[in-house]
Amino acid sequence: MSKFNIGITVPVVDVGGDAETLRRFAKAAEDIGYHHLAATDHVIGVNAASRPDWDIARNTSDDFFHDPFVLFAFLAGCTTRIGFATQIMILPQRQTVLAAKQAASLDVISSSRFRFGIGIGWNEIEFEALNENFT
């Protein structure tokens, strides 16, 4: 057993959302010995066509992001040891109690393999699209 807990990000932007590809990636990461899989969070992407000043090197609505709870619940059923961690879920974009219940449910379903990282977000446009106050 390694003294370091090294994880790997699920590359959904690069590989898309195909379930079989994601399952194979998770199994390979587990077989290689990674400690955990990490996933990024965006509820909605920026429509770069309507935002000419948007840096297209950043994520847009064309990029694919699974909901981390759904993604990890699926991958928990495909794996046995590897853990799961959110790379900061943007909590103000969700109902707090519902997100807490979803996190707790995922932790139970995955046999305590889930770590929940939360943050407040940086992208004002996402908050506007969700009719939330960024400030």
Side-chain angles (χ1 to χ4, degrees):
M1 164 132 359
S2 170
K3 91 180 207 183
F4 299 105
N5 294 329
I6 298 173
I8 187 168
T9 300
V10 179
V12 293
V13 173
D14 299 320
V15 301
D18 176 66
E20 180 59 19
T21 301
L22 294 170
R23 185 196 66 74
R24 286 191 348 252
F25 181 87
K27 283 298 295 168
E30 183 174 66
D31 292 345
I32 290 168
Y34 280 102
H35 178 263
H36 63 275
L37 294 169
T40 55
D41 174 45
H42 286 284
V43 173
I44 189 166
V46 172
N47 179 355
S50 68
R51 303 281 182 162
D53 60 331
W54 186 254
D55 179 0
I56 59 169
R58 288 194 146 317
N59 295 107
T60 70
S61 56
D62 291 335
D63 294 320
F64 200 99
F65 290 95
H66 279 296
D67 177 87
F69 293 131
V70 175
L71 174 64
F72 289 151
F74 168 70
L75 295 178
C78 300
T79 59
T80 59
R81 296 179 315 280
I82 200 164
F84 308 99
T86 53
Q87 288 180 322
I88 308 305
M89 181 169 276
I90 306 166
L91 198 56
Q93 294 180 354
R94 295 171 169 78
Q95 293 176 329
T96 305
V97 173
L98 177 58
K101 178 179 180 172
Q102 291 169 317
S105 296
L106 176 56
D107 194 56
V108 170
I109 288 170
S110 69
S111 301
S112 299
R113 294 187 283 157
F114 179 58
R115 292 183 302 162
F116 193 25
I118 60 172
I120 59 171
W122 60 269
N123 188 346
E124 188 170 358
I125 295 169
E126 289 178 323
F127 281 79
E128 288 173 12
L130 294 166
N131 200 29
E132 294 291 334
N133 183 343
F134 181 70
T135 56

